[in-house]
Amino acid sequence: YRPNLTLDVIRADGDREKQQLLLKVLGNVKGTGIVYAATVKAVEELAEFLEAEGVSVSAYHGKMAPKKRAEAMSKLADRLQAE
């Protein structure tokens, strides 16, 4: 059991509803969080959407250049230390 971790499953019909529900959930999150997506394309599209909505995000997936992955991990670590 890890009290600092939660897993939520919310039924949504279509990508637009998923996006709106995610924004609602993120609006209630205190601190830093991680959102998982099933594909590289989904990660990139989701990061783009969230950035457009004013959410501070860093995309991370296995097809990123090593330097970009390291930058994203460093940014996450810095955010977690600041909390």
Side-chain angles (χ1 to χ4, degrees):
Y1 176 74
R2 304 242 338 242
N4 61 330
L5 296 178
T6 62
L7 173 66
D8 293 314
V9 177
I10 302 170
R11 182 179 174 87
D13 294 317
D15 289 342
R16 186 69 186 148
E17 186 177 359
K18 287 179 193 177
Q19 292 171 339
Q20 294 308 309
L21 288 168
L22 179 58
L23 284 175
K24 184 177 178 181
V25 169
L26 292 176
N28 294 321
V29 171
K30 294 181 176 107
T32 301
I34 298 174
V35 177
Y36 290 92
T39 66
V40 169
K41 181 180 177 184
V43 168
E44 292 173 349
E45 289 176 350
L46 185 56
E48 186 177 301
F49 166 75
L50 292 172
E51 285 175 349
E53 293 293 323
V55 179
S56 177
V57 300
S58 295
Y60 183 96
H61 57 73
K63 291 191 177 181
M64 293 171 68
K67 183 177 178 181
K68 291 285 187 187
R69 281 198 316 262
E71 289 171 358
M73 288 299 295
S74 178
K75 191 174 178 180
L76 175 62
D78 289 346
R79 286 179 180 171
L80 291 170
Q81 282 185 330
E83 292 179 1

